[in-house]
Amino acid sequence: MAREIVIASFIVRFVRLGGTEADDAQCSPALRISVKSIQSGYERRFARMDEAVEFIRDEIDLLEQE
């Protein structure tokens, strides 16, 4: 049996939290990652990129199971 094509779409946003230009010169800005699955509408926020990628992989796995 041929495998179906699974299409998964996500919106990934990188959000810099607070701070001023003077603060930026002293340390790196705090970043957050927001990922939204277009198919499910589910959205989560992360502090680390590897966690965001894991969420995306999990959402794709769910789509493949349907």
Side-chain angles (χ1 to χ4, degrees), residues 7-26:
I7 297 175
S9 300
F10 298 88
I11 295 172
V12 179
R13 293 183 180 99
F14 297 91
V15 181
R16 189 176 96 179
L17 300 177
T20 64
E21 288 182 33
D23 293 336
D24 292 343
Q26 295 174 2

Side-chain angles (χ1 to χ4, degrees), residues 26-64:
Q26 295 174 2
C27 62
S28 62
L31 291 175
R32 295 294 180 262
I33 303 157
S34 174
V35 180
K36 180 177 181 177
S37 168
I38 300 302
Q39 281 73 23
S40 70
Y42 188 53
E43 183 173 350
R44 288 195 50 202
R45 291 174 177 84
F46 305 93
R48 296 177 28 191
M49 189 64 184
D50 59 332
E51 294 170 341
V53 170
E54 184 177 334
F55 167 72
I56 291 169
R57 285 184 181 141
D58 290 345
E59 287 292 304
I60 291 170
D61 287 344
L62 288 174
L63 284 172
E64 289 179 331

